[in-house]
Amino acid sequence: MINLQDEAQPKGAKIRGNKPVDQLEAANRFIAASAHQKMHDQRLWDLRKKRDAQMHLIPEWEELRDLASEIKNHTLDFLADYLEEFERNATANGVHVHWAKDAQESNQIISDILKQHDAKTLVKSKSMLGEECCLRQHLEQDGVKVIETDLGERIQQLDHEDPSHVVVPAVHKTRTDVSKVFEKTLNAQKGNNDVHYLAEVQRETTRPYILNADAGMTGGNFLVAETGAVVVCTNEGNADLSANTPPLHIVTVGIEKIIPKMEHLAVFIRLLSRSALGSPITQYTSYFRGPRKDGEMHVVLVDNGRSTRLANKTFKPGLKCIRCGACMNTCPVFRRSGGLSYGSVYAGPIGLILSPGYNTHKYRNLPFASTLNGSCTNVCPVKINLHEQIFAWRETLAKDNELSLSKRVIMKTLGQLFASPRMYRTAIQTGDRALKYLPHFMVYNRLNSWGRQRDIPSTPKETFHSWYAKNYQKKEKRDE
Ligand code: SF4
């Protein structure tokens, strides 16, 4: 195996306009970078183990998950009411509330607010909604300098890459990868990959932007309808600096982030960080209820396809997601293929069910990047039926004629095979014999993508059917 520090960082999926993302091709490249792949797998599995350890410390963990799921279900059933309550209370607190039906409208609203304040620099805390709306690119075209303040997100910005994970955006990079990025972009010492040094470089180069920015932006983990407050959870305190230092604070948040009351917040706060990083709580849980003294605060409530999902009974539960990333940390496909191989803002199990909702054709391969083992559903703190929705997407894609030709041919052939017991048995017997005697290269070749990373199990001596026929059918006939 190549030394981790010498191996080049594998890049993500190649995006070609509206063409379907080839997740398999990008995953193969990630797997080929064996040292990176192993490190990625281990890092995420460590997070999963930490999450399990935290879970076992809380006897009422399953009740908390049930409660969180029920709160979210209830809120989604009365979403319009709670959003209006939030708007009333936030406005009474002196916050300007805006509504955006899609990404374009959201970006325009934010551009207009910045123009009204003649703001040319914006410090931004991590926001997946911002990524979803391509906000940074939009603002940069408008001449606004946008600086990411989250360490992982800043690394990704400097490397011209998207975040590869919703919680740990640069988890696929080694410290040498980061050192190379900082050397190129921040004038850091060549070859110095000490993590403390790298963190200090980031701090020293980002802090002046924060101190002098015209505006600050944060996302929102939760919106509390009862108080009109926005709650942001971070581990670096960068959201607090971004929100409080500049005179203008803009929040961009999806409409599904609402919860009814303050008393519900505790349920989610207890679940969020434990599920995400296996730590009892995030370092900073900030509660923004109004503008700072002499400042202004704007909240942009973004729909961008959420209402459509709300009206779809099958995919509505996806709106309960609190973006903890636990489903990614546990997913064997995500851990081995890296988040950027999905070529979409949301990767891993949650990405498989959200992304095709944004562009079915482009993301039609994603719902197949799963073993359907259900581990994602087991760890999800809000009990989203992830593996069932992944399966439902496969059905939807088949109905919508979005399966690739090879998949269609295979499915049709298998359908005919399963429909005929005689043909099925003959195929099984022939296959079993062939596997016993065929030379290795005829079984493990380009056509057998399943066997590329796995060994086909050895075939049983006899099938259940032949065993049953031998031991029981003859006897049953004799007894008749
Ligand atoms: S689907 Fe569940 S586990 Fe995955 S990010 Fe969302 S809340 Fe977390």
Side-chain angles (χ1 to χ4, degrees):
M1 187 189 283
I2 301 176
N3 185 317
L4 185 56
Q5 311 311 332
D6 297 335
E7 187 180 75
Q9 183 204 318
K11 290 292 173 186
K14 294 168 190 147
I15 307 295
R16 302 177 186 94
N18 201 33
K19 280 198 178 155
V21 174
D22 193 347
Q23 197 266 344
L24 187 60
E25 182 270 336
N28 277 336
R29 275 188 288 111
F30 194 80
I31 290 167
S34 55
H36 274 78
Q37 189 265 318
K38 192 162 175 251
M39 173 274 300
H40 189 259
D41 186 16
Q42 264 171 4
R43 271 185 188 169
L44 294 178
W45 189 241
D46 278 351
L47 292 182
R48 160 74 209 258
K49 284 194 291 194
K50 283 186 189 156
R51 172 249 173 225
D52 288 353
Q54 284 295 327
M55 178 198 84
H56 289 304
L57 290 176
I58 304 211
E60 69 277 23
W61 181 261
E62 287 307 315
E63 281 118 78
L64 270 181
R65 285 178 75 210
D66 283 333
L67 197 53
S69 175
E70 277 168 32
I71 295 167
K72 279 282 179 183
N73 282 336
H74 165 83
T75 315
L76 290 173
D77 287 342
F78 297 94
L79 190 62
D81 297 331
Y82 284 120
L83 285 168
E84 282 171 15
E85 186 184 343
F86 171 84
E87 183 184 33
R88 274 195 307 279
N89 290 327
T91 308
N93 297 339
V95 177
H96 302 265
V97 179
H98 309 260
W99 300 82
K101 69 173 186 301
D102 54 23
Q104 208 185 352
E105 201 167 283
S106 169
N107 290 345
Q108 197 52 51
I109 290 168
I110 294 165
S111 275
D112 291 345
I113 300 169
L114 293 173
K115 273 185 200 138
Q116 281 156 19
H117 290 79
D118 199 23
K120 293 277 182 273
T121 51
L122 174 87
V123 280
K124 184 175 160 294
S125 172
K126 187 169 163 297
S127 151
M128 289 311 292
L129 181 69
E131 302 291 335
E132 183 186 314
C133 298
C134 299
L135 175 67
R136 203 168 66 216
Q137 293 83 334
H138 176 91
L139 293 181
E140 281 169 356
Q141 274 170 12
D142 258 14
V144 177
K145 189 170 177 68
V146 182
I147 303 292
E148 296 288 346
T149 55
D150 173 272
L151 173 60
E153 194 77 26
R154 179 72 174 142
I155 294 167
Q156 291 305 93
Q157 179 186 21
L158 292 170
D159 202 20
H160 304 290
E161 274 191 336
D162 293 329
S164 77
H165 186 288
V166 290
V167 177
V168 270
V171 70
H172 59 297
K173 280 182 163 69
T174 64
R175 55 201 167 104
T176 304
D177 297 331
V178 176
S179 154
K180 283 180 189 159
V181 175
F182 281 9
E183 183 197 321
K184 245 192 280 169
T185 54
L186 299 181
N187 216 11
Q189 287 168 11
K190 191 173 166 37
N192 190 340
N193 64 7
D194 177 75
V195 285
H196 302 288
Y197 167 73
L198 294 171
E200 199 51 39
V201 170
Q202 143 81 357
R203 190 175 292 118
E204 276 175 17
T205 51
T206 307
R207 197 54 65 97
Y209 287 115
I210 296 175
L211 294 175
N212 298 306
D214 300 319
M217 169 170 282
T218 63
N221 291 80
F222 305 99
L223 300 169
V224 187
E226 180 187 41
T227 58
V230 179
V231 180
V232 185
C233 306
T234 66
N235 279 312
E236 296 167 24
N238 59 308
D240 308 75
L241 285 171
S242 305
N244 289 315
T245 315
L248 174 64
H249 176 198
I250 304 173
V251 180
T252 171
V253 62
I255 52 174
E256 83 283 14
K257 293 292 180 73
I258 194 116
I259 53 170
K261 290 178 186 294
M262 274 299 286
E263 67 191 62
H264 301 133
L265 186 60
V267 174
F268 294 99
I269 295 295
R270 291 186 79 195
L271 286 167
L272 179 63
S273 191
R274 288 185 168 95
S275 301
L277 301 171
S279 57
I281 201 155
T282 44
Q283 302 295 322
Y284 302 87
T285 298
S286 305
Y287 187 82
F288 298 105
R289 203 168 158 180
R292 63 164 235 199
K293 197 167 174 274
D294 302 326
E296 237 177 67
M297 180 172 167
H298 293 253
V299 175
V300 187
L301 300 169
V302 185
D303 184 320
N304 204 30
R306 286 157 175 79
S307 302
T308 313
R309 203 172 306 140
L310 190 65
N312 183 320
K313 224 171 128 225
T314 309
F315 299 120
K316 177 181 166 186
L319 288 168
K320 294 194 287 180
C321 177
I322 56 170
R323 308 281 190 263
C324 70
C327 56
M328 301 173 170
N329 303 345
T330 198
C331 174
V333 177
F334 183 91
R335 292 203 316 268
R336 287 168 182 83
S337 60
L340 295 178
S341 74
Y342 295 73
S344 70
V345 171
Y346 302 107
I350 184 64
L352 304 192
I353 64 171
L354 293 186
S355 306
Y358 290 110
N359 187 334
T360 310
H361 182 65
K362 186 167 178 173
Y363 301 119
R364 69 181 193 178
N365 292 325
L366 296 195
F368 295 92
S370 167
T371 63
L372 293 185
N373 65 9
S375 180
C376 44
T377 302
N378 285 339
V379 298
C380 177
V382 284
K383 290 208 157 175
I384 297 175
N385 56 341
L386 284 146
H387 70 291
E388 287 170 2
Q389 287 193 54
I390 294 169
F391 185 69
W393 262 115
R394 292 184 187 181
E395 287 180 314
T396 306
L397 290 163
K399 280 189 201 127
D400 290 356
N401 249 342
E402 280 291 355
L403 297 189
S404 62
L405 182 65
S406 59
K407 269 202 190 80
R408 280 207 304 273
V409 172
I410 292 170
M411 293 293 174
K412 201 162 176 198
T413 315
L414 285 177
Q416 285 165 349
L417 197 65
F418 290 146
S420 157
R422 189 182 294 268
M423 267 168 65
Y424 174 74
R425 269 179 234 128
T426 313
I428 290 287
Q429 278 166 3
T430 320
D432 279 357
R433 260 183 232 129
L435 282 176
K436 266 186 206 140
Y437 300 113
L438 281 177
H440 186 274
F441 77 92
M442 287 189 76
V443 179
Y444 295 96
N445 54 40
R446 277 182 59 239
L447 296 174
N448 178 12
S449 55
W450 194 91
R452 254 177 241 163
Q453 268 81 41
R454 286 171 282 206
D455 286 332
I456 295 176
S458 45
T459 54
K461 283 198 188 89
E462 60 182 343
T463 61
F464 171 77
H465 186 265
S466 56
W467 172 84
Y468 183 80
K470 200 164 62 191
N471 291 293
Y472 288 91
Q473 270 177 345
K474 275 187 200 158
K475 187 173 175 292
E476 279 166 13
K477 270 197 190 132
R478 272 203 311 273
D479 293 350
E480 274 171 13

